[in-house]
Amino acid sequence: MTILDVSPGVFRAARPRHYVMAPPTHFAVTYEINPWMDASRGVDRALAHRQWDALRQTYLSLGHRVEVLDAVPGLPDMVFAANGGTVIGGTAVLAQFKFAQRADEALAHRAWMTAAGHRPIPTTGVNEGQGDLLTVGSMILAGTGFRTDRHSHAEIAAITGLPVISLQLVDPRFYHLDVALAVLDDHTIAYFPAAFAPESRLLLAELFPGAIEVGEADALALGLNAVSDGRHVVLPAAATGFAARLRDAGFAPIAIDLSELIKGGGSVKCCTLEVHP
Ligand code: ARG
């Protein structure tokens, strides 16, 4: 099913998507590997689960397919399923996590990928899946600087056969590409320019002249950690300025409150691995 809609001067089409999610059954902040995490602060796991489930229900109500992985005890960050790998055109690149605390998540991702009929290919260098590797049309935007190694970008280009554009992240609060940049459709992105090195900003401006540039308040609300089907953009509720910009551009923003999961440093997109056809 393709939902078509025409707003004045703008044409936005939704495409049904296939997502993989993992419930926050064992979610906790027991270590600190990004500036958002504070292990001295507790999390409300029941609330995290309700918020996560509202996200899942939103995808289902939009007509998307959602596969749910079994949560694994001892892997409190597994709810951030986007980091498990990148699947595009039947090719699955398996994550290679930077920190030992998350390494075993790759085993769980390898299992579902294999069961889905893929032959997951690991990289030799660190790659944190769709945290740093975002597909736009038929190219991959790839972040580096905090997690994914730059030389993994070349490996991923070789594995997928797709052009990979390397982008340098410079602000530790925006340690993954998917907290600094959102893909809205096959040609459109939104991003927070200050999260990128000058040469990467130039590159983005050249590649995406129609991009939405988001301000710091929305970026700090993790507003760019959004998931779009080309028309509906599911994003953190606190990013109200970005939601207004999306509406002006003809998208349909859908606000979701994932306040418990932000304690781990992630939101909507982090919880969502997209299987690209
Ligand atoms: N606590 C996790 C980490 O630091 C959060 C991961 C967020 N995921 C993402 N796709 N940005 O690794």
Side-chain angles (χ1 to χ4, degrees):
M1 175 194 64
T2 302
I3 303 166
L4 298 180
D5 186 83
V6 185
S7 347
V10 200
F11 177 84
R12 303 283 176 203
R15 193 166 68 225
R17 307 288 174 138
H18 176 182
Y19 300 128
V20 174
M21 299 177 72
T25 316
H26 308 288
F27 176 59
V29 180
T30 51
Y31 49 81
E32 297 171 0
I33 56 173
N34 71 56
W36 300 81
M37 301 175 88
D38 176 352
S40 69
R41 225 166 124 218
V43 303
D44 180 338
R45 216 177 257 166
L47 177 58
H49 200 280
R50 285 197 297 280
Q51 293 178 334
W52 175 87
D53 204 51
L55 176 63
R56 188 180 69 91
Q57 294 293 347
T58 299
Y59 292 143
L60 294 174
S61 70
L62 292 170
H64 303 310
R65 172 173 169 206
V66 180
E67 265 181 88
V68 175
L69 306 183
D70 290 333
V72 178
L75 297 176
D77 270 335
M78 192 178 162
V79 63
F80 301 117
N83 297 121
T86 301
V87 186
I88 179 159
T91 301
V93 181
L94 186 64
Q96 194 76 256
F97 285 89
K98 173 161 180 174
F99 295 104
Q101 293 98 325
R102 298 196 67 187
D104 284 353
E105 292 179 43
L107 306 177
H109 282 273
R110 189 174 64 194
W112 79 256
M113 288 171 178
T114 306
H118 305 297
R119 192 171 50 87
I121 304 172
T123 51
T124 58
V126 169
N127 98 73
E128 295 205 344
Q130 291 176 2
D132 277 323
L133 303 160
L134 297 175
T135 301
V136 193
S138 53
M139 69 173 141
I140 296 176
L141 300 181
T144 187
F146 299 101
R147 299 291 180 91
T148 300
D149 289 340
R150 187 177 278 268
H151 82 256
S152 300
H153 295 179
E155 288 188 72
I156 288 157
I159 294 168
T160 61
L162 295 174
V164 174
I165 314 286
S166 292
L167 299 167
Q168 182 77 35
L169 296 164
V170 293
D171 182 333
R173 297 171 302 176
F174 305 104
Y175 57 96
H176 273 144
L177 183 64
D178 73 353
V179 287
L181 184 150
V183 177
L184 301 175
D185 64 24
D186 289 349
H187 317 277
T188 315
I189 64 162
Y191 65 107
F192 175 50
F196 295 90
E199 63 276 14
S200 300
R201 289 164 73 157
L202 283 175
L203 196 56
L204 287 170
E206 207 173 287
L207 286 170
F208 303 99
I212 297 178
E213 293 190 13
V214 164
E216 185 164 37
D218 285 317
L220 284 174
L222 288 187
L224 289 160
N225 202 240
V227 170
S228 174
D229 65 12
R231 169 167 174 70
H232 311 97
V233 183
V234 183
L235 81 167
T240 51
F242 181 35
R245 300 282 303 281
L246 286 164
R247 215 171 285 118
D248 290 345
F251 292 98
I254 299 174
I256 294 279
D257 182 7
L258 290 183
S259 58
E260 282 310 296
L261 294 166
I262 286 189
K263 294 177 178 175
S267 189
V268 174
K269 172 58 196 168
C270 298
C271 292
T272 314
L273 186 147
E274 180 168 358
V275 179
H276 295 278

